[in-house]
Amino acid sequence: MHYNRRHFIETLAASSAVLLTNSAATFAAKASPISSNQYAWITFYNRDKRDWNADLDASLAEYVKSGLTAYEPSFSNVDEVKRLAPLLKKHNLTMPSAYVGSVLHDPTEGKRSIETALAIAEAAQPLGLKILVSNPSPLKWGSSDIKNDSQLIEQAKNLEFLGSELRKRGVTLAYHTHDVELRAGAREFHHMLQNTDPKNVGFCLDAHWVYRGAGNSQVALFDVVKMYGKRVVELHIRQSVGNVWGETFGEGDIDYPRLVRELKALKVKPLLVLEQCLESQSPNTVKAVEAHQRDLAYAKQVFADWL
């Protein structure tokens, strides 16, 4: 992953395909009910002018103080997997999922990204990896530029190929989005999910990026759940209050109890991953450990039926 990936920031499938993608998520959810993404912790550390990666051992020691027992790291190369492996064991952490950045709209870069992602997956699978999350990069982070049709076609083709190759290795690919994919009639978002096979490409629903990308709309978020809910293998959990990311996960702009009800009605049980990140307007009242203790406590209430 590029650590500035937020700029410091379909039809329903055949039942057999749905069962295949959901089985991977259900397995991961049973193994480690609530995880947290590395990026959220990086935003807290950055606010305090600390470097999460400078002493990863010490960082993970703080991580486990929050009560979390599962971890979603971000990898850009195999060496990072090797560095993390002994620390997962030392801190008794599971790693059901990981995030890997990718550039898939360009043929040359796409080939390189696919090779890197597959190498990372093969190195991480012995550590418990079941789901590999990837958000194909935009043309330029922070830019309003959007991909043209030929780039979207190339990206969907590469996403499908990556997913099929990961599936052969026993890993589920989870397509993730930020807000840029929802621009221009959400053409990038829909093209990826309409032109990939649910057997090969699952969906990591980052509820707040869909909400924000659609102009802070719960109507749009829950329409996305209606369209693609059966493909959700992982859920990234973030809340805002007045459309500003909060320090902790709690009540706010997104109706998470409703989201739980709607996913349960679809018989979907994704891996739960906290990603309560900070942005410039976020409150500054608690440190990372306490914030994630509160996140975990509230998440256990909201998702109680899944735990």
Side-chain angles (χ1 to χ4, degrees):
M1 159 185 161
H2 303 290
Y3 293 123
N4 65 343
R5 66 182 171 87
R6 293 197 183 135
H7 215 249
F8 197 94
I9 61 154
E10 138 207 303
T11 55
L12 297 179
S15 59
S16 60
V18 169
L19 287 172
L20 179 68
T21 53
N22 287 344
S23 64
T26 300
F27 179 92
K30 287 180 178 177
S32 44
I34 301 178
S35 185
S36 179
N37 187 286
Q38 169 186 336
Y39 184 74
W41 287 77
I42 288 174
T43 66
F44 275 87
Y45 271 51
N46 285 350
R47 184 177 69 178
D48 291 339
K49 296 179 172 53
R50 302 170 67 195
D51 184 347
W52 172 265
N53 287 293
D55 187 345
L56 189 54
D57 187 9
S59 296
L60 291 175
E62 285 203 347
Y63 185 94
V64 297
K65 287 179 182 177
S66 69
L68 289 160
T69 59
Y71 179 54
E72 182 175 274
S74 300
F75 296 126
S76 59
N77 57 63
V78 170
D79 287 342
E80 292 173 349
V81 182
K82 294 177 180 177
R83 178 189 178 203
L84 180 63
L87 296 177
L88 290 175
K89 184 176 181 179
K90 176 179 179 179
H91 295 287
N92 198 27
L93 286 166
T94 61
M95 191 190 71
S97 64
Y99 180 100
V100 174
S102 59
V103 178
L104 299 179
H105 62 272
D106 175 80
T108 302
E109 289 295 325
K111 183 175 184 295
R112 187 177 298 118
S113 284
I114 289 168
E115 290 173 350
T116 298
L118 293 177
I120 288 171
E122 290 172 357
Q125 195 173 17
L127 305 179
L129 181 74
K130 294 294 179 183
I131 298 174
L132 192 72
V133 181
S134 191
N135 192 137
S137 293
L139 295 176
K140 182 179 179 182
W141 290 105
S143 168
S144 61
D145 295 343
I146 55 177
K147 295 161 189 168
N148 60 37
D149 284 359
S150 63
Q151 290 169 323
L152 295 181
I153 292 168
E154 178 70 20
Q155 180 169 294
K157 180 189 72 174
N158 286 328
L159 195 67
E160 170 72 12
F161 180 74
L162 174 58
S164 67
E165 289 299 308
L166 286 170
R167 183 184 169 206
K168 292 175 185 176
R169 292 159 172 81
V171 175
T172 297
L173 175 63
Y175 169 63
H176 179 279
T177 69
H178 294 107
D179 54 350
V180 65
E181 296 87 351
L182 279 293
R183 293 175 185 157
R187 69 188 191 190
E188 178 171 347
F189 173 72
H190 290 300
H191 189 75
M192 295 309 108
L193 291 174
Q194 290 288 336
N195 293 277
T196 54
D197 189 331
K199 294 193 302 294
N200 297 324
V201 181
F203 181 27
C204 176
L205 174 60
D206 192 311
H208 201 276
W209 276 123
V210 172
Y211 169 84
R212 177 168 285 183
N216 300 321
S217 171
Q218 282 207 96
V219 168
L221 170 61
F222 287 107
D223 282 347
V224 163
V225 173
K226 289 178 185 177
M227 286 184 282
Y228 304 116
K230 282 189 175 289
R231 292 181 72 162
V232 175
V233 296
E234 179 168 324
L235 179 65
H236 277 187
I237 301 162
R238 187 184 311 109
Q239 183 64 283
S240 63
V241 179
N243 300 320
V244 174
W245 294 346
E247 281 185 290
T248 59
F249 175 51
E251 294 183 1
D253 299 322
I254 294 177
D255 186 345
Y256 273 93
R258 177 185 171 187
L259 182 57
V260 171
R261 292 194 301 271
E262 298 211 5
L263 290 175
K264 283 180 64 179
L266 294 171
K267 296 181 170 55
V268 171
K269 185 181 177 182
L271 175 67
L272 305 175
V273 180
L274 292 166
E275 198 176 29
Q276 192 65 40
C277 303
L278 300 176
E279 55 188 346
S280 59
Q281 304 106 313
S282 298
N284 185 353
T285 63
V286 292
K287 300 300 184 182
V289 173
E290 183 180 349
H292 283 84
Q293 288 172 338
R294 295 184 188 181
D295 294 347
L296 190 57
Y298 188 76
K300 286 180 177 178
Q301 295 178 35
V302 174
F303 301 101
D305 291 346
W306 290 353
L307 303 177

